[in-house]
Each structure stands twice: as structure tokens, then as C-alpha cells.
Amino acid sequence: MRKLKVQQWVTVDNIVAEEDGGLGFVSAKPFSEASDKAFEASIMGFIDSVDTMILGANTYNQTKDYWPHADEQGEYGEKLNNLTKFVASSKLEAAPWGDFPAATVTSDPIATVRELKQQSGKDLWLWGSLKLMRSLMAAASSTRSGCWSPRCHAARGRACSRIGRT
């Protein structure tokens, strides 16, 4: 059975998005000359372990204009863009992804993830999408999660989990 892998970029103080939903604390480029080679290997190993990406409508809208045209992202960007994609939305009718195959829109992401997990293939990747992550975890659809920290402190914003928050 395939696993749903949840990936969130989280600051050391448990923030996954700024108060306005922005992600200014995340570098758009996962690799640079200063990048740790073990971190790069981890990221590439992760993307090689999945073949399907699940996004919420907000994350889709934040990324759809950048990633399909991000040639500077090299092999990582090519692999990301070629993943099969599903967007959870009750409002979108279509989810184009540049010149790559469009994402499939689903109004029932819990049922979609359960069905995808039963199919053969590599694991599934829930990318960002905090509200969707919480819904899937509440429905026990997630079997593995991971938080990658950009090693910064945001002080205010949306928390990854409500543990320790009021």
C-alpha cells in the first residue's frame, strides 16, 4: 500500500506560513552552492520516492505560476513538474500546470487519497496545504509526515500543529 507523505516547511518556532499566508521564510531554490550535500540528497531521495502530488487550492494557487516555468530548479524542478497532481478544491474547475499535464481537481480529497493509496505506484506527497493536511490527518489518511526547517524564526504566523499553541 502506498503511503501519504506530508511535507511542510516549518520554522524552528513551528510556523508554516506567515499571517498573510505567505512563505517568505522559504527559499525558492532548494539547492545552492552553500547547500548541505546531505540535505540535497535527502530532498532528491524524497522526490524520487513519490509519483503523485496532492495540493490544496491555496498551495496550488501559490505555486502554479512559478514551478511549471522554473527551469533554474534543474533536475528537482523537472521531477516535481512531471509528478501526477491532484488539487483539493470545491471551487476550481481546472488546474493547469504550464505545459505539463494539468492537475486533477478533486472535491473529496479524503476519498481520493484513500483510493490512490490502494493503487500501485510510488508514495503520495502532500505538499504544504495546512488545512488539507489537518483534514487528512483527522481522517487517518496520513501514514508519514516530515517537517523540513529553513532554519529561521518567524515569530508570528500559522502554526503547523496546535501543540503548545493557544
Side-chain angles (χ1 to χ4, degrees):
M1 178 186 287
R2 298 162 85 180
K3 295 177 186 171
L4 175 64
K5 296 179 176 181
V6 177
Q7 181 252 323
Q8 295 284 344
W9 287 97
V10 182
T11 64
V12 295
D13 52 346
N14 197 34
I15 301 298
V16 294
E18 293 151 353
E19 290 180 309
D20 65 357
L23 300 170
F25 59 87
V26 177
S27 169
K29 202 169 188 184
F31 307 120
S32 71
E33 300 212 0
S35 294
D36 176 45
K37 297 303 176 197
F39 177 72
E40 287 183 18
S42 173
I43 297 289
M44 291 306 290
F46 179 84
I47 202 162
D48 286 338
S49 73
V50 298
D51 62 8
T52 304
M53 178 187 285
I54 315 292
L55 306 101
N58 290 335
T59 301
Y60 166 76
N61 283 319
Q62 289 176 337
T63 58
K64 67 180 176 66
D65 294 327
Y66 172 74
W67 279 102
H69 313 286
D71 295 333
E72 72 279 4
Q73 296 290 344
E75 181 183 8
Y76 178 82
E78 182 180 333
K79 289 180 178 193
L80 184 147
N81 285 320
N82 282 296
L83 294 171
T84 299
K85 293 171 194 65
F86 287 83
V87 176
S89 176
S90 59
K91 297 177 182 158
L92 289 175
E93 293 182 18
W97 196 263
D99 293 334
F100 298 91
T104 300
V105 177
T106 176
S107 61
D108 188 350
I110 293 170
T112 298
V113 167
R114 285 184 179 143
E115 182 180 320
L116 289 169
K117 286 174 69 175
Q118 298 301 318
Q119 297 173 4
S120 63
K122 294 181 179 181
D123 290 333
L124 314 171
W125 174 17
L126 175 64
W127 191 29
S129 309
L130 188 58
K131 183 178 174 183
L132 178 57
M133 176 193 80
R134 289 178 177 153
S135 296
L136 291 170
M137 292 182 113
S141 294
S142 177
T143 56
R144 179 177 176 190
S145 63
C147 294
W148 293 330
S149 174
R151 297 182 189 144
C152 67
H153 172 76
R156 297 180 61 118
R158 298 180 187 166
C160 182
S161 67
R162 293 185 174 90
I163 298 169
R165 297 261 176 194
T166 56

